[in-house]
Amino acid sequence: MDEALNAPFYDLIILGASGYTGKYVIKEALKFINTSKPSLSPLKTFALAGRNPTKLSQSLSWASQPNPPPPIPILTADTSDPDSLRRLCRHTRLILNCVGPFRLHGQPVVAACAESGCDYLDISGEPEFMERMEAMYHDQAVEKGSLVISACGFDSVPAELGLMFNSRQWMPPAAPNVVEAYLSLESERQIVGNFATYESAILGVANVDQLVQLRRSRPKRPRPVIPGGPPPKGPLIEHQKEVGIWAVKLPSADSAVVRRTLATLAESPYGLPGVNESADQIAKREAFWSTVKPAHFGVKIASKTLLGILRFITVGMFIGLLGTTSFGRWLLLKLPSVFSLGWFKKKGPTEDEVRSASFKMWFVGRGFSDSTSVSQGRGKPDMEIVTRVMGPEIGYVTTPIILVRCALILLSQRDNLPKGGVFTPGIVFGPTELQERLQDNGISFDVISKRALSA
């Protein structure tokens, strides 16, 4: 199979394509190879890479159904073999990394891309991995011209674009103070998540001290200027009557990714310049960012019933308590269905379970109708705007849709994007037409309500 490495240069290579998420990414990418108008797609060639060529062939066959598999090259590479990763980078413009948990397998891939100048996208939702890659490889990626962007899936593009969409509804002099996202996972059948996501959450609890130490070791970044003071913490369990849900705080990657985007925006208020932007593109980018207003941001997991919230809390307690010891982690990973109350299984969801699942993410923004009269630390919000992002199943449908659309934009608009560096998806793809492309593929962005708040 390695003879394929002598083939012509590939537009992208999907690494980890034999995994459960990886085969759905193949399925999504094939839509742009098999299009009736190939001249309109920037994706002309791609390859699959992983440790096991047989499994990669099986994934390609599955993703191609009901058609026979097309002649997509299959390459052998292993995240434990840096030379194999460097070979991949020499033969492509872009790596799509689907090999998780990223804490265990991601760093060698980022290192190879940053060293070679190859661009990199992944679907990580692991804050420590993402922030450590920024600390270790940002300068080299800038120098070599490698654009490294994590969280290009459900983590954390809906949160990033959803916050921007809400903040752009605040017409001057109005401005938000806080935007809280409420995530509701829905299904006609049982909701079953990706085992790698469950494993990543457990490893995150086990290594939370390392994330704290990493953040303390990093230089302080500027904070965005937000009208009004920090919002009150509020109750542990919240009843959001506006949208008819109960909610509890979710320790997700979304909040950390959004904070990094807002910090970059505080440093560069008009966004990041492209490597070879036209004057029109510069004007477009600056106009976009001038409409985005920073706000305090948090994420909560939501349910239509209080019982559903108590179930979330129970699973969180299992992971939080048992994830701190090696024996506890062994139990959690050995019996995922037991300790997640059926939400995670090693074999993953069935295709029927994937098809029946969906998500809704409400963004409840509260702020000021006249932000010019509000000083920092004073004033009570007098205005509320509620928006919503809604789409199909998060791990195997929404995530591949987002990842592949990010890749297509990168391939077709590379001159408009930063030369290189380790960035969040929001700061890179915010000014592009990513939101419009997602809307064309079943992920909607809607304004639900605007109202004045009583004093």
Side-chain angles (χ1 to χ4, degrees):
M1 293 292 178
D2 280 332
E3 288 81 1
L5 284 170
N6 295 319
F9 204 69
Y10 306 110
D11 290 323
L12 63 82
I13 293 175
I14 303 171
L15 178 62
S18 61
Y20 206 89
T21 302
K23 69 180 186 180
Y24 279 92
V25 173
I26 299 172
K27 185 175 183 179
E28 194 65 29
L30 285 174
K31 295 177 183 178
F32 298 91
I33 290 290
N34 298 333
T35 177
S36 60
K37 296 181 179 180
S39 61
L40 299 180
S41 172
L43 183 56
K44 309 299 182 187
T45 59
F46 73 89
L48 311 179
R51 291 179 299 177
N52 190 320
T54 300
K55 287 186 177 180
L56 291 170
S57 295
Q58 291 170 349
S59 292
L60 179 60
S61 295
W62 177 89
S64 304
Q65 295 175 345
N67 300 314
I72 302 295
I74 292 177
L75 317 178
T76 302
D78 193 322
T79 59
S80 65
D81 179 1
D83 286 340
S84 72
L85 300 175
R86 293 188 193 100
R87 286 197 298 271
L88 294 184
C89 292
R90 287 196 295 269
H91 288 269
T92 188
R93 298 171 59 188
L94 172 62
I95 297 284
L96 303 188
N97 187 11
C98 302
V99 184
F102 292 85
R103 170 193 301 279
L104 303 180
H105 306 292
Q107 180 178 337
V109 189
V110 174
C113 288
E115 176 186 313
S116 66
C118 179
D119 291 332
Y120 169 99
L121 303 178
D122 72 32
I123 53 175
S124 172
E126 303 168 40
E128 191 212 340
F129 165 75
M130 292 186 277
E131 294 177 34
R132 194 172 295 282
M133 294 305 96
E134 181 182 37
M136 294 177 66
Y137 296 108
H138 177 75
D139 291 344
Q140 185 181 30
V142 171
E143 178 186 352
K144 298 290 187 177
S146 168
L147 198 50
V148 176
I149 313 169
S150 287
C152 294
F154 182 77
D155 288 322
S156 291
V157 169
E160 292 238 83
L161 296 189
L163 171 62
M164 293 177 196
F165 180 73
N166 186 285
S167 81
R168 297 182 73 200
Q169 308 309 312
W170 297 76
M171 298 296 107
N177 168 261
V178 58
V179 177
E180 291 189 293
Y182 298 82
L183 171 62
S184 175
L185 304 178
E186 302 180 4
S187 178
E188 299 171 2
R189 299 173 180 267
Q190 182 181 11
I191 295 173
V192 179
N194 186 328
F195 180 76
T197 301
Y198 175 73
E199 185 179 9
S200 296
I202 294 167
L203 293 174
V205 169
N207 296 278
V208 66
D209 290 343
Q210 293 183 25
L211 178 57
V212 172
Q213 292 173 6
L214 173 64
R215 288 175 173 170
R216 287 176 177 171
S217 70
R218 300 282 287 147
K220 295 293 183 182
R221 301 185 68 181
R223 295 185 177 183
V225 177
I226 300 171
K233 289 186 176 181
L236 173 64
I237 298 175
E238 177 186 353
H239 188 200
Q240 180 55 245
K241 297 179 181 179
E242 179 74 14
V243 291
I245 53 174
W246 296 82
V248 65
K249 184 177 179 181
L250 178 67
S252 73
D254 290 344
S255 296
V257 172
V258 166
R259 280 196 299 270
R260 289 172 59 209
T261 293
L262 294 179
T264 304
L265 199 56
E267 296 167 339
S268 304
Y270 294 106
L272 302 175
V275 64
N276 190 24
E277 283 181 298
S278 67
D280 286 346
Q281 179 59 32
I282 293 172
K284 177 183 174 184
R285 169 174 53 80
E286 293 182 350
F288 173 85
W289 286 118
S290 69
T291 66
V292 174
K293 304 157 195 71
H296 300 285
F297 181 74
V299 181
K300 296 185 177 183
I301 189 74
S303 173
K304 294 178 181 178
T305 67
L306 182 58
L307 182 61
I309 291 302
L310 296 177
R311 188 181 176 193
F312 288 131
I313 292 173
T314 301
V315 173
M317 289 177 64
F318 281 145
I319 295 176
L321 293 173
L322 296 176
T324 58
T325 67
S326 58
F327 178 69
R329 292 190 291 276
W330 179 83
L331 277 177
L332 289 168
L333 295 172
K334 186 72 174 177
L335 302 168
S337 185
V338 172
F339 289 106
S340 71
L341 305 184
W343 273 325
F344 294 96
K345 300 176 182 178
K346 285 191 175 181
K347 63 180 181 179
T350 66
E351 290 183 42
D352 284 343
E353 287 168 338
V354 170
R355 280 193 293 267
S356 68
S358 62
F359 79 91
K360 293 176 182 174
M361 202 167 188
W362 285 274
F363 294 79
V364 179
R366 295 186 178 91
F368 306 98
S369 57
D370 185 0
S371 62
T372 60
S373 63
V374 180
S375 63
Q376 284 187 285
R378 296 183 181 180
K380 182 179 178 181
D382 64 356
M383 184 175 175
E384 179 185 85
I385 296 179
V386 179
T387 56
R388 184 184 63 202
V389 179
M390 184 169 64
E393 190 278 337
I394 62 174
Y396 307 112
V397 184
T398 290
T399 287
I401 287 172
I402 295 172
L403 178 64
V404 172
R405 272 44 184 206
C406 288
L408 293 173
I409 289 174
L410 192 151
L411 290 173
S412 62
Q413 302 177 31
R414 188 62 182 89
D415 283 351
N416 296 337
L417 306 180
K419 173 189 173 184
V422 181
F423 297 112
T424 57
I427 199 67
V428 174
F429 295 114
T432 71
E433 68 273 18
L434 178 58
Q435 179 184 317
E436 289 77 9
R437 294 195 183 195
L438 298 184
Q439 289 176 165
D440 290 341
N441 288 274
I443 300 172
S444 62
F445 292 72
D446 301 294
V447 177
I448 302 303
S449 64
K450 297 182 181 182
R451 67 185 182 107
L453 297 175
S454 57

